[in-house]
Amino acid sequence: MIRRDVLKSLLALTAVPTAGIAEEPGLQLGDGVPFDAELMRTRARALAAADYKPRPLIPASWRNLTYDQYRKIWFDGRNALWEGSQTPQRVDVFPPGLYFPQAVEINVVEDGRARPLRFDMDVFDTTDKFPKVKIDDTLGYSGLRLRAELEQAGIFQEYAVFQGASYFRGIGTGETYGLSARGLALKTAEPEGEEFPDFTAFWLETPAPGAPNVILHALLDSPSCAGAYRFDITHGETLNMQVEAELFAREDMRHVGIAPLTSMFLFDQTMRDRFSDFRPAVHDSDGLMMYNGAGEVIWRPLANPKTLQISAFTDKDPRGFGLMQRARAFRDFADLEALYHNRPALWVTPGENWGPGAVTLVEIPADLEIYDNIVAYWRPSTPILAGQSHKMTYQLDWADDPAPRASMPLRVLDTAMGDRPEGGTVVAIDFEGRADVPEDLNTLDIILRSSTGDISDGLVQRNPETGGPRLAFTFYPADAGLVEFRAQLRLNGAPFSEVWLYRWTAA
């Protein structure tokens, strides 16, 4: 989705101190009605039992805002929900319009009763360049932002945003927004087009003073299904989200994406020749990591192919997967504005056995960094048929390195590729340095395979900068348009490194 610049500008806005400033109106609440999680499921089940009805569109004057006009309206942090209270969270709202043509219902829950947030233009600030827009009953907010005292008492910094379809994003303390998650993906990369479910309503439970977490409920709706979601969100160096969801199918759902992640990968050292850019790399994530049900750890570097690429990694009861950002030094990107080295990785841990299926990776061609062109999700083998429901739980961890480390094999740090003057393409895979890396690298066995073409023997040498081993080899693709690679270092017959997988495609 092309929302990167808009979101970046909105997320950069911070709350202002309240001392000495004229009082603002604050978010206005409507009348309360009873609420609990079971009512959420009942509402989702009833939605799925009826024909799908899209929400009404907001007035055209809002929908037709240009990008520059939309940037001229923003939420005034002095109007935040729970501002001035002992509640350890603050909640901002976003205006509708531009990429957000439908309002989202937002409710606040306290003492078992839910009260809706009423739309109020007075909670926003605008410049004199913001056009006159129509105000009617279709209007509402387009999403919400969570803030808490992350680094300093009295300073509420943002750490999560829910806005647009079922998209949401988060950061560990001190990080910069990057990749997104979604509530659900349907028919991704299918010829008839992808279906984008919407979070149509949210319910925020009022946290007790001193509580480290906030509970957010969400209602999902789409032509194919409805769903009830519960997010238990705890901020910190690692932002943790415990997700519970139940889906109710309106129609047969044969291509379902559970815990979908969306990111951006433009280029790195595997394809540097395609981009004339002062930066050595541009991406929010650089690889897909998988910890499969058999206990194997797999690293698949991301690519920006010339044509759509879909990879399915068949598994049963996966232990976890995620889109990682392992490049962590400023010099890896040399970008003073985007700060790609500070983007979070996101790790998914299933809460129960997910059964047979496949971690699915979709790589979409892109020529600019404004496009989110990477999608990864779990696709169950068993379809969810019309009238059925499907329960699932999982954990999302946002941090610079949220994947499990205990008893993990040697990680891949980087992959680089380039043509040799005498012919062939050289591949260099750098692994991390660790205390258990043997002094004599000749004791490591190399497992190296390719699907087609000639390939040299692998050579392992120590990288003096990382202290870890580098595996290098040369391949000769001849007329092959696509080559699949698999490599691993082993010690005493046991896996010592992650399994490195890569799909090379001809330019």
Side-chain angles (χ1 to χ4, degrees):
M1 297 183 69
I2 312 172
R3 310 184 333 270
R4 183 172 301 275
D5 288 342
V6 172
L7 290 174
K8 202 187 301 182
S9 63
L10 292 174
L11 300 177
L13 297 175
T14 56
V16 295
T18 57
I21 299 177
E23 186 175 341
E24 293 293 319
L27 290 168
Q28 305 299 305
L29 298 173
D31 296 333
V33 296
F35 174 83
D36 61 29
E38 186 54 41
L39 288 173
M40 277 278 300
R41 288 189 289 273
T42 299
R43 182 167 169 179
R45 187 182 296 109
L47 271 177
D51 292 339
Y52 173 70
K53 294 181 180 179
R55 291 168 292 153
L57 295 174
I58 60 176
S61 55
W62 286 90
R63 301 197 309 272
N64 296 335
L65 291 174
T66 67
Y67 167 73
D68 286 334
Q69 289 173 331
Y70 191 73
R71 292 181 62 191
K72 291 175 173 58
I73 180 171
W74 62 92
F75 183 74
D76 186 332
R78 294 171 293 178
N79 292 314
L81 182 65
W82 302 317
E83 179 70 16
S85 74
Q86 295 301 308
T87 301
Q89 303 278 342
R90 299 291 181 267
V91 182
D92 304 338
V93 293
F94 293 105
L98 192 58
Y99 302 130
F100 314 106
Q102 295 162 305
V104 177
E105 177 189 336
I106 303 176
N107 303 274
V108 181
V109 179
E110 189 168 14
D111 298 327
R113 295 185 69 80
R115 302 175 65 191
L117 289 182
R118 292 175 171 168
F119 182 77
D120 184 358
M121 276 293 290
D122 289 339
V123 303
F124 298 106
D125 283 340
T126 65
T127 73
D128 58 3
K129 301 297 183 181
F130 187 72
K132 184 176 181 180
V133 288
K134 182 179 180 180
I135 306 297
D136 67 11
D137 292 340
T138 66
L139 285 174
Y141 305 116
S142 64
L144 59 89
R145 170 170 50 208
L146 301 176
R147 293 188 284 121
E149 297 170 297
L150 304 183
E151 298 177 295
Q152 184 178 342
I155 303 298
F156 288 79
Q157 298 170 275
E158 65 187 280
Y159 62 87
V161 166
F162 288 74
Q163 186 186 30
S166 67
Y167 283 83
F168 57 98
R169 60 178 60 195
I171 49 174
T173 300
E175 291 182 327
T176 305
Y177 282 107
L179 80 170
S180 302
R182 281 190 268 170
L184 192 66
L186 295 173
K187 307 174 186 176
T188 304
E190 291 284 355
E192 66 268 27
E194 183 167 359
E195 181 178 327
F196 289 92
D198 291 323
F199 282 145
T200 61
F202 295 110
W203 289 261
L204 277 157
E205 294 189 16
T206 303
N213 64 322
V214 64
I215 305 296
L216 176 68
H217 302 267
L219 182 68
L220 180 137
D221 199 16
S222 188
S224 294
C225 68
Y229 284 70
R230 180 183 187 272
F231 297 87
D232 187 340
I233 306 171
T234 304
H235 60 78
E237 255 184 67
T238 297
L239 174 63
N240 176 266
M241 297 182 178
Q242 301 286 340
V243 184
E244 301 176 18
E246 185 169 4
L247 303 174
F248 301 89
R250 274 196 180 90
E251 57 186 47
D252 293 350
M253 299 197 298
R254 302 189 181 278
H255 188 164
V256 179
I258 304 298
L261 316 178
T262 301
S263 192
M264 181 276 294
F265 180 91
L266 193 64
F267 67 88
D268 68 1
Q269 295 302 315
T270 62
M271 47 175 293
R272 186 68 183 81
D273 57 309
R274 280 178 48 193
F275 291 87
S276 177
D277 198 298
F278 75 94
R279 299 166 294 183
V282 172
H283 50 73
D284 284 339
S285 307
D286 53 14
L288 170 65
M289 178 179 171
M290 293 166 278
Y291 188 16
N292 69 21
E296 188 176 52
V297 181
I298 298 170
W299 176 254
R300 166 62 154 76
L302 298 178
N304 180 1
K306 291 290 188 69
T307 59
L308 175 70
Q309 300 283 346
I310 302 172
S311 304
F313 305 92
T314 302
D315 197 4
K316 181 179 180 182
D317 298 331
R319 304 183 190 190
F321 69 93
L323 290 175
M324 302 290 109
Q325 181 78 317
R326 287 185 174 171
R328 285 293 165 194
F330 171 77
R331 65 177 177 273
D332 293 328
F333 304 95
D335 194 320
L336 291 169
E337 296 182 358
L339 303 177
Y340 287 116
H341 66 287
N342 199 40
R343 305 292 174 104
L346 178 51
W347 183 254
V348 180
T349 304
E352 66 278 317
N353 293 336
W354 279 3
V359 175
T360 303
L361 174 65
V362 180
E363 296 165 305
I364 304 167
D367 56 0
L368 295 172
E369 62 200 275
I370 62 171
Y371 298 107
D372 288 332
N373 64 322
I374 302 295
V375 186
Y377 53 88
W378 172 253
R379 180 177 179 178
S381 295
T382 304
I384 306 171
L385 302 180
Q388 291 182 346
S389 68
H390 177 79
K391 291 183 179 180
M392 57 190 174
T393 63
Y394 54 93
Q395 176 175 309
L396 298 175
D397 288 310
W398 313 68
D400 63 352
D401 185 17
R405 294 301 301 270
S407 303
M408 285 286 107
L410 205 66
R411 296 186 311 159
V412 176
L413 293 182
D414 193 21
T415 302
M417 293 185 180
D419 293 339
R420 287 191 180 279
E422 65 271 20
T425 298
V426 65
V427 180
I429 308 165
D430 277 317
F431 297 88
E432 66 183 330
R434 237 170 39 181
D436 59 346
V437 175
E439 186 67 28
D440 182 3
L441 296 182
N442 290 322
T443 60
L444 295 173
D445 295 321
I446 302 170
I447 307 299
L448 182 58
R449 302 191 186 105
S450 68
S451 61
T452 186
D454 293 331
I455 187 169
S456 72
D457 293 334
L459 173 66
V460 176
Q461 298 173 296
R462 192 176 302 275
N463 183 326
E465 182 172 328
T466 66
R470 168 179 286 184
L471 170 61
F473 63 91
T474 301
F475 74 97
Y476 304 88
D479 296 330
L482 180 151
V483 183
E484 300 276 6
F485 294 101
R486 179 184 177 96
Q488 186 180 36
L489 301 179
R490 299 177 74 89
L491 181 63
N492 299 324
F496 186 67
S497 75
E498 297 175 322
V499 174
W500 175 87
L501 299 181
Y502 194 79
R503 175 183 291 174
W504 174 89
T505 54

